Amino acid sequence: QEPVPHLILSSIAFDSLEDLNRYIDEIEYKFRSDKNNTNKRYNKELSRIDPNIDSDRKREIQEYYGEEFGTVEEIFTKQFRYSILITLYSILEMILTDLCYQLRRLKKIDLELEELKGMGIERARRYIWIKLSRDQETSRDFSKTPFIAVDVVA
């Protein structure tokens, strides 16, 4: 017996997202740790000076550690989160493309994904929509197709 397509897709999606989640947790922990260490070093340096006498030194310390903290928060963390969005998009694209190939194989569709114009998610969305439209014309019951959840992408 052939595996059910949505179970295969769920497994692929789950594995990919689970790996990504572990990666995100690890990197976010690293950023929190870096910021905590910066904050500890900052407080230690401040404790060594007399703020009433060394106001220039205090300002230098604040600027230095403010920049270091800001680099982690504003540059590293922000760039990391942007890359996560791109990764999520890629995972979605992989899942939808795989769904198209499985649809073609299981439903014996003549149309190949590569025959449609466009790329990535948009092309997969059109392919699935064509398949759903043909099923609807045949059965007139859109709700019974097991691939209806993909319509959320549209």
Side-chain angles (χ1 to χ4, degrees):
Q1 182 180 7
E2 285 196 43
V4 180
H6 67 276
L7 294 178
I8 293 170
L9 288 174
S10 296
S11 176
I12 292 168
F14 181 79
D15 290 347
S16 296
L17 293 173
E18 193 66 26
D19 290 345
L20 181 62
N21 190 42
R22 280 192 299 273
Y23 174 68
I24 290 169
D25 287 346
E26 191 68 32
I27 298 299
E28 290 283 346
Y29 174 80
K30 167 85 170 85
F31 290 145
R32 280 190 307 277
S33 176
D34 287 352
K35 289 188 290 186
N36 285 337
N37 288 336
T38 299
N39 196 36
K40 286 178 186 175
R41 289 192 337 260
Y42 167 74
N43 288 327
K44 187 175 181 179
E45 285 244 15
L46 279 184
S47 70
R48 293 181 186 165
I49 65 167
D50 182 347
N52 298 323
I53 299 172
D54 297 326
S55 61
D56 288 340
R57 178 69 182 134
K58 181 180 177 182
R59 201 171 14 265
E60 287 174 8
I61 292 170
Q62 289 171 333
E63 286 177 17
Y64 175 80
Y65 286 101
E67 274 186 41
E68 189 174 320
F69 193 89
T71 298
V72 172
E73 184 62 33
E74 295 298 318
I75 297 174
F76 298 156
T77 304
K78 189 181 272 187
Q79 291 302 315
F80 171 70
R81 290 179 181 156
Y82 287 146
S83 72
I84 293 303
L85 287 175
I86 303 240
T87 302
L88 286 170
Y89 187 92
S90 296
I91 290 170
L92 177 61
E93 184 177 71
M94 173 193 69
I95 290 167
L96 291 176
T97 300
D98 191 53
L99 174 63
C100 292
Y101 292 136
Q102 288 188 42
L103 271 173
R104 181 168 192 270
R105 185 175 53 82
L106 293 171
K107 300 292 184 176
K108 299 178 181 18
I109 300 170
D110 293 335
L111 180 67
E112 291 188 29
L113 178 63
E114 290 75 16
E115 292 178 49
L116 294 178
K117 291 182 181 178
M119 296 179 67
I121 290 175
E122 182 57 30
R123 180 170 61 179
R125 185 193 64 78
R126 273 193 275 119
Y127 188 88
I128 293 165
W129 186 252
I130 289 169
K131 169 62 181 128
L132 291 175
S133 297
R134 287 181 185 164
D135 281 357
Q136 185 183 25
E137 289 171 11
T138 305
S139 70
R140 295 286 178 207
D141 188 358
F142 213 48
S143 65
K144 289 186 179 173
T145 181
F147 304 104
I148 194 69
V150 180
D151 190 38
V152 174
V153 176

